[in-house]
Amino acid sequence: MNQQVSEAPQGFSIGLTHVGCVRSENQDTFFCDESKGVFAVMDGAGGMHAGAMASGLVKNALGYIRAPHSAVDLLDQFEGRVIDAKKDIERVAAKANGAAMGTTIAALLAYGTDFACLWAGDSRVYRGAMEQLTTDHTEAQELVDQNVLTPEEAKNFSRRHVITRAIGSGLELELELVSGNLRHGDRFLLCSDGLTGHLDDAVISNMLLDGAQKSVAQHLLTGALEKGGTDNVTVVVVDFDQVNRSEGVGRT
């Protein structure tokens, strides 16, 4: 008797980052490894060069993830590499006389038909037509959750960019996690707040569903720049389809 086997969807990605229209240094970075199912956006914070160093150290650490043999193994490896990155950040900060260094992270892990989303800070992960999987770790979001501010008031709150979680020196490492099942045709967006600070969800949703992956990523980036580009902007678009894993080719 013939049996029909349904392959797990494979993720194909494109990532773009830009310094923006105001800042002189890009402290954002991203990481994509389709063969291992790891995708992440980091937005560094700190003094001159410190934010770029912090986000870069996390990116470097993720590069040591080995080919996973299960979803649990992938999650364990990811968390281990993030812990390693935090130690690296703390060592560098200590050599710089305790300078504050840190970075947000928004990550998507995929193995078989399972996915997990992990984050700290205000970089975000969206699924499909703007299903926001992450919740910002910011003072503004905490006040919204406490009904002190409305979501609209939070957009103009003076401390809206103050994050309450990060991978950094002098900070307790606490990643939030959600998980679920992948569907063929899923599209995910990972981004720094340089995108969401300029484009609202309705605009991002229209762009996200409009066209091929490369043009979508470029339109999102250009849209943020045209609205002022006051921060670094990073976007990673990941599409999942029924393609054999060995055929994946990284595109950045």
Side-chain angles (χ1 to χ4, degrees):
M1 181 174 66
N2 293 329
Q3 291 185 330
Q4 187 175 9
V5 178
S6 176
E7 290 184 22
Q10 166 68 45
F12 292 89
S13 64
I14 183 167
L16 299 174
T17 187
H18 195 286
V19 68
C21 303
V22 175
R23 304 199 174 184
S24 59
E25 180 184 44
N26 192 348
Q27 298 192 345
D28 284 6
T29 190
F30 64 90
F31 178 88
C32 297
D33 190 329
E34 297 165 356
S35 67
K36 295 172 185 144
V38 182
F39 312 91
V41 164
M42 284 73 66
D43 179 357
M48 183 64 70
H49 307 311
M53 176 70 74
S55 61
L57 288 170
V58 176
K59 178 178 180 176
N60 291 342
L62 296 181
Y64 287 98
I65 293 176
R66 305 178 307 277
H69 55 74
S70 69
V72 172
D73 176 47
L74 179 57
L75 179 60
D76 287 345
Q77 286 197 63
F78 175 85
E79 292 178 335
R81 298 296 77 75
V82 170
I83 290 171
D84 290 344
K86 175 175 167 56
K87 292 177 181 177
D88 291 339
I89 291 170
E90 290 173 338
R91 280 194 289 268
V92 173
K95 292 179 180 178
N97 298 318
M101 290 179 60
T103 180
T104 70
I105 188 168
L108 174 68
L109 309 180
Y111 184 91
T113 58
D114 298 318
F115 79 84
C117 173
L118 298 97
W119 74 99
D122 58 358
S123 294
R124 295 180 181 178
V125 180
Y126 292 94
R127 183 188 196 184
M130 296 310 290
E131 176 190 357
Q132 186 175 331
L133 299 178
T134 58
T135 302
D136 293 348
H137 297 138
T138 60
E139 288 189 4
Q141 184 61 49
E142 288 183 352
L143 293 173
V144 170
D145 294 341
Q146 297 164 10
N147 295 318
V148 175
L149 294 177
T150 67
E152 285 303 313
E153 289 171 338
K155 293 178 181 179
N156 299 310
F157 180 53
S158 61
R159 292 173 61 81
R160 63 188 178 278
H161 297 301
V162 177
I163 57 177
T164 55
R165 295 192 200 182
I167 306 170
S169 58
L171 298 172
E172 181 179 352
L173 179 58
E174 187 176 1
L175 299 175
E176 192 164 351
L177 179 150
V178 296
S179 59
N181 297 118
L182 289 170
R183 300 182 293 261
H184 292 294
D186 263 339
R187 171 169 283 179
F188 290 82
L189 168 66
L190 291 71
C191 62
S192 64
D193 69 333
L195 179 74
T196 54
H198 286 299
L199 302 179
D200 62 30
D201 281 2
V203 173
I204 295 174
S205 180
N206 288 335
M207 291 184 178
L208 195 60
L209 298 177
D210 184 22
Q213 186 184 65
K214 184 175 182 179
S215 63
V216 165
Q218 188 61 64
H219 288 157
L220 288 168
L221 187 69
T222 301
L225 297 177
E226 289 177 346
K227 288 292 186 178
T230 58
D231 198 354
N232 308 146
V233 187
T234 301
V235 299
V236 170
V237 180
V238 189
D239 287 344
F240 286 88
D241 205 353
Q242 191 167 341
V243 179
N244 188 284
R245 182 173 292 272
S246 65
E247 296 175 352
V249 178
R251 299 189 301 278
T252 59

